[in-house]
Amino acid sequence: MSAPGRVYLVGAGPGDIDLLTGRAYKAVVEAEVILYDRLIPPGLIDHAHPDAELIYVGKEGRGPSMPQAEIDRLLVEHGRAGKRVVRLKGGDPFVFGRGGEEALLLREAGIPFEVVPGITSGIAAPAYAGIPVTHRDRASAVALITGHEDPAKPESAIDWPALAAFPGTLVFYMGIGQLPRIAERLIAAGRDADEPAAVIERGTLPDQRTVVATLSTIAERAAAEGFRPPSITLVGSVAALREEGVRWFEERPLAGRSVAVTRARAQASGLATRLRALGAVALETPAIKIVPVDVGVALDPSGYDLVCLTSPNGVRLLFERLAAGGRDARALAGATVAAIGPGTARALREHGVVADVVPERFVAESLVEALAGVPVRRALVARARVARDVLPDALRARGAEVDVVELYETVAEQLDAGERAAAGAADYVTFTSSSTVRFFLDALGGADAISPRTRLVSIGPVTSATLREHGLEPHVEASEHDVDGVVAALLADAAS
């Protein structure tokens, strides 16, 4: 029999992936088996090792779920098999997460375990709603209460008179379905019916919603506005602080706006993260995929007096090809290095190369103009397989010998029905290249699949021209033709 493995009872936090702890992330990426719940941050499971066994054990309110006994069996089975197992839970495993029960089970089975705490939603959701659960003048204590007790219990374990008399903030988890009863029991036990109360739905996520009312009216208000699980209910005078100026989450510049990001998956997450930090619901709908060409084939740039790079992808793959031949940035010594745009120049700097020429406008025509005074005898243009020939044609017209090296090709990325529907109905769709336009429209089945109210954001004139070729007029065009320019243009349009 193999030696037992180790089980990690991991709290994934309240929903915003940026609130995940470093220890929790490390456990996820190193796990061999992950048993994960429904309420974990979107996209977190994508960081698991490709060979990890992923087992969904999520529990749906009022819906089907895996019995706890089966979850227990799986934890013991994989732990005894010597695996590194992560039991991944929303929030904190020891705050209404049954982590204590699972820890006792593992101890009894002789399986080593470790607890990785997470930020609990009862604290985080109110904070994102602008409600501190404690305040020196209003609440010196906070009570965390489950609003959904075990139905097998013969009677409630909650002491309603004690809660009604509690001198501080009450935070109920999983209680939206029981909210009328909770309010009724508290008021009947002596809690002030006019005390402020709040319900926070999908706390810390971009589409978080909050409603504030009194204890006697909060259930009616939440029902009228269609609040659903997962929601946190808070009762206490601190709830009034939201309207007194502590609210901040909804005041971010893109709060509540949905933005579809059509970049390649490896690049989309960076832009999506920036948009989420500004309050947007960022929809990662990558229409393209970057596929390297001639992987592992060495590239020798010596002998060229001009080397042109047209994208950050090109820079990354150029250096991979250099490395395949045992070379590094020194192979570019003696050549004039030109980059289209600051993003490409930034990628070069990450490899220790400062671009000699970066045009003011980030299109091939501007690079041709910028190179007008640069002597060119022999040039290397490293780019995508399908690209405009403006630059190599202009250099050849000057009498230069030009070699075009195709480092990668852009191909279609498949989108599922849900991704297509969400992107077509988004408030904004961002396009960072002509290929994102073509492949995105192909994935959606044509321009008619985009809502008339959706605003189209283009990175620059070439991408805008491609949109027009497909019968679409860009509503927003970045003046700086890079991702920073796209974000700036989007912010300006949202504020107008």
Side-chain angles (χ1 to χ4, degrees):
M1 182 176 178
S2 62
R6 180 173 288 269
V7 175
Y8 297 80
L9 304 175
V10 177
D16 182 346
I17 197 168
D18 288 339
L19 298 180
L20 186 76
T21 68
R23 184 73 183 110
Y25 179 79
K26 185 173 186 290
V28 169
V29 299
E30 294 179 351
E32 295 174 279
V33 180
I34 301 178
L35 284 73
Y36 64 102
D37 280 351
R38 178 172 63 100
L39 298 179
I40 62 172
L44 173 56
I45 208 69
D46 295 338
H47 294 273
H49 190 279
D51 296 329
E53 182 179 355
L54 307 178
I55 305 172
Y56 177 68
V57 298
K59 300 194 174 186
E60 304 280 348
R62 304 189 191 92
S65 63
M66 179 177 287
Q68 184 64 38
E70 178 63 11
I71 296 173
D72 292 346
R73 186 191 68 78
L74 289 168
L75 287 174
V76 171
E77 175 186 307
H78 289 291
R80 283 180 171 162
K83 299 293 184 65
R84 188 182 182 94
V85 183
V86 164
R87 174 72 176 96
L88 190 60
K89 305 166 177 286
D92 181 278
F94 278 10
V95 181
F96 306 123
R98 305 191 76 163
E101 299 170 41
E102 292 169 349
L104 289 171
L105 168 83
L106 293 166
R107 175 68 70 202
E108 184 178 343
I111 298 170
F113 65 88
E114 183 176 317
V115 179
V116 181
I119 298 174
T120 184
S121 58
I123 307 298
Y128 269 50
I131 303 172
V133 295
T134 64
H135 185 278
R136 187 172 61 176
D137 299 326
R138 305 196 189 196
S140 297
V142 58
L144 307 181
I145 311 117
T146 178
H148 185 73
E149 292 186 277
D150 185 348
K153 290 180 180 178
E155 59 182 36
S156 173
I158 295 176
D159 186 337
W160 293 101
L163 277 185
F166 182 75
T169 306
L170 305 178
V171 178
F172 291 88
Y173 291 64
M174 304 165 287
I176 189 70
Q178 297 294 320
L179 188 50
R181 177 175 174 274
I182 289 170
E184 179 184 309
R185 296 290 293 269
L186 286 173
I187 293 170
R191 197 84 179 189
D192 184 357
D194 293 327
E195 185 175 25
V199 175
I200 304 113
E201 178 188 78
R202 293 180 59 78
T204 77
L205 294 172
D207 55 347
Q208 170 184 305
R209 294 196 298 158
T210 303
V211 61
V212 177
T214 64
L215 179 56
S216 62
T217 61
I218 188 64
E220 182 180 354
R221 284 285 306 279
E225 298 191 27
F227 275 60
R228 297 171 53 82
S231 293
I232 289 290
T233 298
L234 179 144
V235 179
S237 63
V238 290
L241 290 171
R242 169 180 165 82
E243 305 303 329
E244 293 176 24
V246 183
R247 63 186 296 166
W248 62 272
F249 186 76
E250 298 90 343
E251 295 180 356
R252 294 176 299 168
L254 296 178
R257 312 287 183 96
S258 57
V259 183
V261 179
T262 60
R263 302 186 88 194
R265 198 172 297 277
Q267 299 167 308
S269 59
L271 176 55
T273 297
R274 292 182 60 181
L275 294 172
R276 290 186 186 110
L278 294 167
V281 179
L283 308 170
E284 294 189 38
T285 52
I288 61 171
K289 180 164 56 177
I290 304 301
V291 178
V293 174
D294 294 334
V295 178
V297 176
L299 179 63
D300 181 6
S302 61
Y304 294 98
D305 47 22
L306 174 66
V307 177
C308 299
L309 283 304
T310 62
S311 72
N313 283 317
V315 173
R316 174 175 61 84
L317 294 168
L318 170 68
F319 278 89
E320 286 184 9
R321 294 277 293 274
L322 289 177
R327 296 170 176 268
D328 56 22
R330 290 171 293 182
L332 300 177
T336 296
V337 179
I340 294 183
T344 306
R346 186 162 47 247
L348 281 165
R349 283 197 301 274
E350 291 172 357
H351 290 277
V353 177
V354 177
D356 300 292
V357 180
V358 183
E360 292 185 4
R361 294 176 63 246
F362 315 135
V363 292
E365 288 82 356
S366 290
L367 183 55
V368 170
E369 295 173 7
L371 291 170
V374 177
V376 182
R377 178 181 55 83
R378 189 163 179 250
L380 172 68
V381 178
R383 67 178 201 184
R385 173 161 285 174
V386 177
R388 300 163 68 229
D389 288 323
V390 172
L391 178 60
D393 285 352
L395 292 172
R396 289 183 181 115
R398 291 175 51 182
E401 177 187 343
V402 180
D403 290 329
V404 175
V405 176
E406 297 172 343
L407 296 173
Y408 63 94
E409 61 180 331
T410 304
V411 300
E413 178 79 279
Q414 297 301 312
L415 302 179
D416 63 34
E419 290 173 326
R420 293 195 299 269
D427 295 311
Y428 290 93
V429 179
T430 60
F431 296 101
T432 54
S433 66
S434 292
S435 57
T436 61
V437 174
R438 291 191 295 269
F439 289 125
F440 180 77
L441 294 177
D442 285 347
L444 261 63
D448 291 342
I450 300 177
S451 168
R453 70 174 186 82
T454 297
R455 296 183 67 76
L456 310 179
V457 183
S458 165
I459 197 170
V462 175
T463 302
S464 294
T466 305
L467 280 166
R468 294 186 182 102
E469 289 171 7
H470 290 80
L472 294 169
E473 183 64 29
H475 300 91
V476 184
E477 182 179 288
S479 55
E480 299 290 322
H481 311 319
D482 59 5
V483 172
D484 290 340
V486 169
V487 173
L490 206 162
L491 285 170
D493 187 76
S496 64

